[in-house]
Amino acid sequence: MNKAKRDVVIAGNWKMNKSPAEAKELITALKPLVADADCKVVICVPYTDLFVAVEETKGTNIKVGAENCHWEKSGAFTGEIAPQWLKEMGVEYCVIGHSERRQYFGETDKTVNLRTKAALEAGLKPIVCVGELKEERLADKTHEVLDTQMAGGFDGITAEQMADIIIAYEPVWAIGTGLTATDEQANEACAYIRSIIAAKYGQAVADAAVIQYGGSMNDANAAGLLAQTDVDGGLIGGASLVADKFAKVVAAAK
Ligand code: PEP
């Protein structure tokens, strides 16, 4: 399957930004700007913005995602949120294993795996983040890191389940830093991830897998990145907080 047959998904990751009132304002501005998008448009927002995001996007082409979920259905896990509750409120996607969660909140490949399986079981589409640190790239260990993260994060996930998963290749050195991977670096890493999927699940599953690039993608660099043969969209942080900038990234996904 060539790229033209895969979904292109542009997803915003708002991180810990926007109050519910600010979320409503941003979504109101965004709706008309992306109404004619040629790709899937997703906004992944803080838990406290989910209600307003689901309400405000009803009847539009914008889908809503959370930024994390727990792997249990309920219990003594203060501060955590169960995936089926997200589903119940109309959330469709869930970012899992973002590097900020790996860096600041003890997320591991094991917990990424547990969260991914729970999200799938609840009927959510996980956006699973993988990517190397700057020192790992400089030490030429990018492939090794991706091998490890993909083996751990996708342990026990079936070929059928792969159809509901998006993978976001996010080199940690490019997230929120203004440093973007070159078009070639992004494509090479996404193609490598596709080869890992092919080795585990077969070529057909790999060819159908949606693999995004994330890391300082914005209105100025999106067209080049999104034109790459193995880059099927983007996970956008900073630029997703400004309606006009995010809409321009969406428009670049032809
Ligand atoms: C992200 O939060 O996943 C991200 C890629 O952030 P930024 O676009 O700001 O680098």
Side-chain angles (χ1 to χ4, degrees), residues 113 117 146-162 165 167 192-206:
N113 183 249
K117 286 176 173 162
L146 294 175
D147 285 338
T148 304
Q149 292 178 338
M150 291 294 295
F154 287 75
D155 185 39
I157 294 200
T158 66
E160 290 69 34
Q161 288 175 317
M162 287 302 289
I165 297 179
I167 298 165
Y192 186 70
I193 291 168
R194 203 176 300 286
S195 77
I196 296 173
I197 298 170
K200 182 167 177 182
Y201 297 104
Q203 196 59 48
V205 174

Side-chain angles (χ1 to χ4, degrees), residues 13 15 98 100 170 174-178 214-217 235-239:
N13 173 28
K15 312 190 192 221
H98 191 279
E100 288 151 15
E170 298 213 305
I175 298 177
T177 59
S216 298
M217 192 191 276
L235 185 57
I236 324 295

Side-chain angles (χ1 to χ4, degrees), residues 160-221:
E160 290 69 34
Q161 288 175 317
M162 287 302 289
D164 288 324
I165 297 179
I166 294 172
I167 298 165
Y169 167 63
E170 298 213 305
V172 181
W173 47 272
I175 298 177
T177 59
L179 287 176
T180 315
T182 63
D183 297 347
E184 293 73 26
Q185 284 172 325
N187 198 48
E188 191 280 333
C190 290
Y192 186 70
I193 291 168
R194 203 176 300 286
S195 77
I196 296 173
I197 298 170
K200 182 167 177 182
Y201 297 104
Q203 196 59 48
V205 174
D207 283 346
V210 175
I211 305 176
Q212 299 173 317
Y213 167 79
S216 298
M217 192 191 276
N218 57 39
D219 46 323
N221 59 29

Side-chain angles (χ1 to χ4, degrees), residues 46-251:
Y47 289 136
T48 43
D49 291 344
L50 286 171
F51 181 77
V52 77
V54 168
E55 283 304 304
E56 291 300 317
T57 56
K58 272 187 184 146
T60 77
N61 60 333
I62 303 175
K63 306 295 181 194
V64 175
E67 297 178 12
N68 188 26
C69 68
H70 198 258
W71 53 86
E72 293 290 350
K73 290 188 168 68
S74 64
F77 303 103
T78 303
E80 292 291 329
I81 298 289
Q84 78 275 5
W85 300 340
L86 298 171
K87 180 73 181 174
E88 185 181 317
M89 67 185 294
V91 172
E92 293 183 45
Y93 293 81
C94 187
V95 176
I96 293 176
H98 191 279
S99 63
E100 288 151 15
R101 296 215 54 86
R102 292 178 189 258
Q103 191 177 351
Y104 304 126
F105 301 102
E107 192 82 66
T108 64
D109 293 331
K110 177 69 188 164
T111 56
V112 168
N113 183 249
L114 290 169
R115 291 184 209 278
T116 302
K117 286 176 173 162
L120 286 165
E121 201 192 321
L124 297 171
K125 293 185 174 63
I127 301 176
V128 181
C129 303
V130 295
E132 80 287 0
L133 303 171
K134 184 175 188 181
E135 52 269 31
E136 291 166 339
R137 176 159 282 265
L138 292 175
D140 210 12
K141 289 193 165 153
T142 299
H143 287 188
E144 208 178 298
V145 171
L146 294 175
D147 285 338
T148 304
Q149 292 178 338
M150 291 294 295
F154 287 75
D155 185 39
I157 294 200
T158 66
E160 290 69 34
Q161 288 175 317
M162 287 302 289
D164 288 324
I165 297 179
I166 294 172
I167 298 165
Y169 167 63
E170 298 213 305
V172 181
W173 47 272
I175 298 177
T177 59
L179 287 176
T180 315
T182 63
D183 297 347
E184 293 73 26
Q185 284 172 325
N187 198 48
E188 191 280 333
C190 290
Y192 186 70
I193 291 168
R194 203 176 300 286
S195 77
I196 296 173
I197 298 170
K200 182 167 177 182
Y201 297 104
Q203 196 59 48
V205 174
D207 283 346
V210 175
I211 305 176
Q212 299 173 317
Y213 167 79
S216 298
M217 192 191 276
N218 57 39
D219 46 323
N221 59 29
L225 289 159
L226 295 170
Q228 301 305 304
T229 51
D230 280 286
V231 178
D232 305 314
L235 185 57
I236 324 295
S240 70
L241 299 173
V242 181
D244 180 51
K245 287 190 180 176
F246 188 59
K248 283 184 177 146
V249 174
V250 169

